[in-house]
Amino acid sequence: MNDLWKEVLAEIEIEVSKPIFITFFKSTTLLDVFDSIATITSPTHITAKYIEKRYSPLIKRALDKKTGQNLSLVFVASESKSEPSQKPIPP
């Protein structure tokens, strides 16, 4: 799993600026690929939501290319891996 994510990150690094890559992607991990769903972790809900909103197509394209599958993406904050970023954040 780790090698797959390293390959995906290498493709993303070419597509985004260095500051964006370091800020948003360097600390992400591919937690799991199961049943056509890729679960990606990010350090916080805010970064998970930002990556999901802004970079989902880029990530999906790279993952689909590397796996040969048509994956759905789920973004999760590593501060609480059991809660997908789609859930509302309490005020």
Side-chain angles (χ1 to χ4, degrees):
M1 195 73 58
N2 195 29
D3 289 339
L4 170 61
W5 192 240
K6 283 181 183 178
E7 291 176 23
V8 169
L9 287 178
E11 287 200 21
I12 292 169
E13 191 171 14
I14 294 167
E15 299 289 329
V16 301
S17 69
K18 187 171 184 153
I20 291 290
F21 182 80
I22 291 168
T23 302
F24 294 105
F25 291 99
K26 192 126 176 119
S27 57
T28 60
T29 58
L30 179 61
L31 185 63
D32 193 23
V33 176
F34 180 74
D35 209 17
S36 297
I37 300 172
T39 304
I40 299 158
T41 63
S42 181
T44 68
H45 287 287
I46 293 169
T47 56
K49 204 64 172 157
Y50 180 80
I51 292 168
E52 179 181 23
K53 183 177 180 180
R54 187 97 160 89
Y55 296 103
S56 283
L58 176 63
I59 296 167
K60 179 175 172 25
R61 186 172 59 244
L63 270 170
D64 287 354
K65 179 180 169 185
K66 295 295 181 186
T67 62
Q69 298 180 49
N70 183 15
L71 298 172
S72 296
L73 305 180
V74 174
F75 295 85
V76 176
S78 57
E79 61 193 13
S80 60
K81 290 181 183 172
S82 63
E83 296 181 32
S85 64
Q86 293 91 330
K87 290 188 177 181
I89 300 170

